[in-house]
Amino acid sequence: MPTTTATPVTPATPVTPVTDATFHDEVLASGLPVLVEFTADWCGPCRQIAPVLAELATAEAGRLKVVALDVDLNPATAAAHRVLSAPTLILFRAGEPVLTLVGARPLRRLRQDLAAQLPWIAPN
């Protein structure tokens, strides 16, 4: 009986990558609130917050969209939103920025910070 080896399946990240070209459709035209992480490969705090954002995106699927935009590869969108530090998180509702947060933070703190705009998201 031949043996078969299964190809490991890498789970898709719950954080959607966006670009200058897709930002309007994915963020500004979204029917859901969208949390955008402005990130960069060289950014240590960005790597630190990545699992926090993935956990948030999974827990809030269907109520909140979480996306990431690489500032080095997509400078037009970063400049348009005056992003000077990475990570910068901007929450958009109905295509408008309503909250800006700079820096990494644990999930509980992120939920607290978002709660004023997204009351259902507050930590217990």
Side-chain angles (χ1 to χ4, degrees):
M1 184 169 189
T3 58
T4 58
T5 54
T7 304
V9 176
T10 305
T13 178
V15 177
T16 305
V18 295
T19 65
D20 285 343
T22 63
F23 190 83
H24 180 271
D25 291 344
E26 292 288 336
V27 177
L28 303 180
S30 176
L32 294 174
V34 183
L35 182 63
V36 180
E37 177 198 18
F38 291 84
T39 186
D41 284 342
W42 48 262
C43 171
C46 298
R47 287 189 296 276
Q48 184 181 22
I49 200 170
V52 170
L53 294 173
E55 187 175 340
L56 181 69
T58 299
E60 299 300 328
R63 297 194 298 181
L64 174 69
K65 186 175 186 179
V66 181
V67 303
L69 181 126
D70 186 310
V71 297
D72 291 330
L73 301 176
N74 302 283
T77 302
H81 294 285
R82 296 185 176 106
V83 173
L84 301 175
S85 298
T88 292
L89 306 173
I90 301 179
L91 178 65
F92 289 82
R93 291 190 83 169
E96 295 296 323
V98 295
L99 177 69
T100 300
L101 305 167
V102 178
R105 58 204 67 224
L107 182 60
R108 182 172 179 79
R109 168 84 187 282
L110 179 57
R111 285 182 169 278
Q112 288 170 338
D113 292 339
L114 294 171
Q117 292 295 325
L118 308 172
W120 74 83
I121 211 164
N124 299 331

